[in-house]
Amino acid sequence: MAALPFRPTPFFANKNQAFWNLQLAGWGGATLLRAMSALANGQPPDRLVIILIATITGFSISLILAVVYSQLIKQRPLITWGVTALVLGFATGVYAFIDSWVLEVAGAASSGNNFANLFVGIFFIDLVLLGAWSALYYAINFFLQVEEQADRLERLEAQATSAQLAMLRYQLNPHFLFNTLNSISTLVLLKQSETANAMLTRLSSFLRHTLVTQPGGKVTVEQEVETLKLYLGIEKMRFEERLRSDFRIEPDAAKACLPAMLLQPLVENAIKYGVSPQEDGAEISIVAQVVGPRLRVTVSDTGPGMTMNSIEAGLPAVRPSRARRDSTGVGLTNIRDRLAQAYGEEHRFEIRSPESGGFSVLIELPFESEEVDVPAAQPSAAAPATPQARPLPKPSAPPAVVPSQLPPKAQQTT
């Protein structure tokens, strides 16, 4: 089917034009209805002139009412409705007086009716007409006000959400920068200039990747993985063989979109609580796959797991091989808040920790393809060599699941 060469425009996009369109359509329809009624009742053709004069009078009075109502609608309700009743009564009286005078001059009034009786009879007819016009005027304008307020509220909520996402993201970067710069300072003191220079080069590449996207923007999983590889390249210079990484990214999942810098805090969390406490280090795995209409990303480590004092009523028992230290409670809560801001109830956030040790975070998001406008992050030449993605194994039985509401104590966070 061929597409229309134009796009539909809202009727009230131009309020001034919409007002005149409604004026002409309303009064024209009223005139046509009265004219057809007069002809159907066998009245003389000159009655059409009287109807035309009455229409022009009502049209003119309604224009004056529109000016008055445009000021009254901005006032308090008591003033608005009280003055509207007075103005409507006065305008109806003027309208009825002009109609009665025209009928009497034209001799179209019924015999035996004096001017007072004619005025009273026409007054109620004109009151219904102007009353309906006034009600329609206020109804349309109140609707437009509510719609404008809703649009303004939506824009403010979008700005607040963007600001909150920026705040949540900027809470993470200083911690990472402090650790990296502290490591570089240590290397300089140890006169390991080549290693310090290599770490600075990787840090600059990582920061260039992070600055490509806006705080509330989205990137593809492939771009996020490239950023993670740069980050892990920096950390591998600190931990060497103790830090091992494993990326398993499905081709379809690599094209999916997710909030920028969403996974880096999870990897940093795994390094702090999984790799750092153990002499032999740990392996960090990042798995991304498409499950039905959703993207599932899992970040796990082979570290010691969670502490026993973090267990609350309703949570499964966790028996870690080694206890993890208490943390500041920022990292996981931060990510959970970012997901809530971006997806509302349309996301899944779970913490998993088997009794044998280890820790993993599972995130499920609605699948969005890379057709969404996301900035491209060019890979850097300084990026370290990392293991290539390999096919996913068959899923095994899932370990114990901790609900997305985090316990207040001793969680694995940064």
Side-chain angles (χ1 to χ4, degrees), residues 300-367:
S300 59
D301 64 75
T302 57
M306 294 193 303
T307 57
M308 290 299 295
N309 59 6
S310 66
I311 304 305
E312 294 184 352
L315 299 184
V318 179
R319 300 183 181 277
S321 57
R322 297 182 184 179
R324 292 190 176 186
R325 297 172 296 173
D326 293 343
S327 61
T328 59
V330 174
L332 295 180
T333 303
N334 192 314
I335 296 173
R336 182 185 59 191
D337 292 343
R338 287 188 65 188
L339 292 173
Q341 286 289 332
Y343 298 98
E345 298 295 330
E346 297 298 321
H347 77 279
R348 179 182 174 192
F349 181 75
E350 292 182 355
I351 300 171
R352 298 183 172 186
S353 186
E355 296 184 2
S356 59
F359 192 88
S360 65
V361 176
L362 182 144
I363 297 174
E364 278 193 7
L365 310 173
F367 180 84

Side-chain angles (χ1 to χ4, degrees), residues 29 87 251:
V87 172

